Amino acid sequence: AQKITQTQPGMFVQEKEAVTLDCTYDTSDPSYGLFWYKQPSSGEMIFLIYQGSYDQQNATEGRYSLNFQKARKSANLVISASQLGDSAMYFCAMISTGTASKLTFGTGTRLQVTL
Amino acid sequence: EPEVTQTPSHQVTQMGQEVILRCVPISNHLYFYWYRQILGQKVEFLVSFYNNEISEKSEIFDDQFSVERPDGSNFTLKIRSTKLEDSAMYFCASRKEGTGDTQYFGPGTRLTVL
């Protein structure tokens, strides 16, 4: 069984600062993928970034980067130069290649960007 | 950029009524999913669908739920007899091919059961 743990229910960050949202995972599958999704107050789920378990380099997408530490089973999201529009819920999710590729989600972190 | 669409955006129904939530996945995607999110809680997997059949379902997806791909574009979730605890946001998602390919989510349907 897979499990995603997000231990920060809420985070505050000042505009233009960087912030790290924590995510740890547990799986016995040798091959898996990790995702981050953003959910603004309007409710939709927006894909941000993906990291495969065999990827040699940490994933980056614009201001988003994923700090992947396989031995520690962590996949933290780093948002650089925070903007007011980054205020939202952020969900970490995992997919395993041995399944029908359903996503298992964490409980989320609510990020609030302040002036 | 192609996107997953869902209708309606909000559905209010009486307990015991049937509802059908509709989704149009991205056109070249082959795998389709339904997830739900009870207010304030995490997103939970309901069912996955591939090659016109269910490939996996969760324990939440009991006999009152069914999915269908009635034509080449739509993907529907039917709840036969709604209960109060079915009130949630329901997300449809689709992905192309390959396990690592990203699942793209629709905007969701908020279901309220009274």
Side-chain angles (χ1 to χ4, degrees):
Chain A
Q2 304 141 53
K3 187 176 180 183
I4 293 282
T5 303
Q6 294 181 255
T7 56
Q8 305 154 315
M11 291 279 287
F12 286 89
V13 64
Q14 274 198 316
E15 200 180 16
K16 300 189 179 95
E17 297 294 308
V19 63
T20 298
L21 306 184
D22 294 341
C23 171
T24 58
Y25 61 91
D26 192 24
T27 182
S28 55
D29 292 318
S31 180
Y32 51 89
L34 296 149
F35 295 82
W36 278 91
Y37 287 85
K38 172 184 178 181
Q39 187 178 42
S41 56
S42 49
E44 70 267 34
M45 295 287 285
I46 302 167
F47 164 71
L48 295 178
I49 196 165
Y50 166 77
Q51 178 84 45
S53 59
Y54 290 116
D55 292 344
Q56 294 297 314
Q57 293 193 326
N58 285 348
T60 60
E61 288 283 351
R63 294 186 297 111
Y64 304 108
S65 59
L66 202 152
N67 184 3
F68 181 48
Q69 298 189 43
K70 197 169 181 178
R72 293 186 178 184
K73 293 191 174 180
S74 74
N76 298 339
L77 177 71
V78 181
I79 305 174
S80 62
S82 298
Q83 302 170 357
L84 293 177
D86 294 334
S87 295
M89 280 290 284
Y90 289 80
F91 290 96
C92 181
M94 159 181 273
I95 199 168
S96 288
T97 54
T99 69
S101 303
K102 67 182 181 186
L103 287 171
T104 301
F105 283 83
T107 51
T109 295
R110 182 169 296 284
L111 178 67
Q112 186 68 46
V113 181
T114 61
L115 292 170
Chain B
E1 187 176 318
E3 57 185 22
V4 178
T5 59
Q6 289 185 245
T7 54
S9 56
H10 191 188
Q11 172 109 33
V12 181
T13 190
Q14 296 287 330
M15 192 169 55
Q17 294 296 304
E18 176 183 285
V19 294
I20 297 176
L21 311 183
R22 301 179 193 280
C23 168
V24 179
I26 296 173
S27 62
N28 61 348
H29 285 193
L30 302 178
Y31 296 82
F32 314 117
Y33 304 83
W34 284 101
Y35 293 85
R36 81 170 185 192
Q37 184 183 32
I38 295 172
L39 188 63
Q41 297 186 23
K42 67 178 179 181
V43 179
E44 301 173 291
F45 167 76
L46 289 178
V47 66
S48 59
F49 193 86
Y50 171 71
N51 201 24
N52 283 320
E53 61 182 23
I54 290 173
S55 46
E56 187 174 353
K57 59 184 180 180
S58 72
E59 62 274 9
I60 302 168
F61 194 89
D62 60 23
D63 291 344
Q64 69 160 346
F65 290 92
S66 62
V67 289
E68 196 176 36
R69 188 154 163 83
D71 53 44
S73 59
N74 289 285
F75 180 50
T76 62
L77 174 70
K78 182 193 289 186
I79 310 175
R80 284 190 189 81
S81 177
T82 50
K83 302 178 225 172
L84 295 177
E85 54 265 37
D86 294 327
S87 294
M89 181 76 98
Y90 288 80
F91 291 103
C92 173
S94 70
R95 71 176 174 91
K96 260 195 312 195
E97 184 73 72
T99 312
D101 282 349
T102 298
Q103 290 184 28
Y104 291 93
F105 282 71
T109 293
R110 180 161 298 285
L111 176 65
T112 302
V113 182
L114 302 176

